[in-house]
Amino acid sequence: LDTGGLATALESVAERAPLPVRIRCDLPVEPPATVRAAAWFVISEAVTNAAKHSGAQRVDVEVATVDGRLRVAVRDEAVR
């Protein structure tokens, strides 16, 4: 997280997940360390919960900066 940034850390989450996870991380600038850590934790937990409880076949994660704020969306096909 500190060396590779949020996108790299999220790719690691996707690689370890028991179902396919698509990551779209469009960040022109890395957010502060505390924001990166919080986002990584929330996304990791959401992916884990989707895998354990939702019956999802795939999870999509989108991370972007919108109006100066970090926006995170985690979706599976049941939420569409």
Side-chain angles (χ1 to χ4, degrees):
L1 197 57
D2 289 332
T3 57
L6 185 56
T8 301
L10 293 177
E11 289 298 332
S12 176
V13 170
E15 290 171 2
R16 291 189 314 270
L19 71 169
V21 177
R22 184 182 61 141
I23 305 287
R24 269 201 254 160
C25 190
D26 182 22
L27 298 176
V29 176
E30 283 290 320
T34 55
V35 175
R36 283 194 312 266
W40 178 87
F41 180 78
V42 167
I43 293 166
S44 295
E45 285 296 308
V47 168
T48 298
N49 288 341
K52 286 184 179 179
H53 306 295
S54 77
Q57 298 299 307
R58 184 185 84 227
V59 175
D60 294 322
V61 175
E62 294 181 36
V63 181
T65 303
V66 178
D67 296 328
R69 296 182 177 168
L70 190 68
R71 178 176 289 173
V72 172
V74 181
R75 296 181 180 94
D76 63 42
E77 67 275 358
V79 181
R80 297 184 196 284

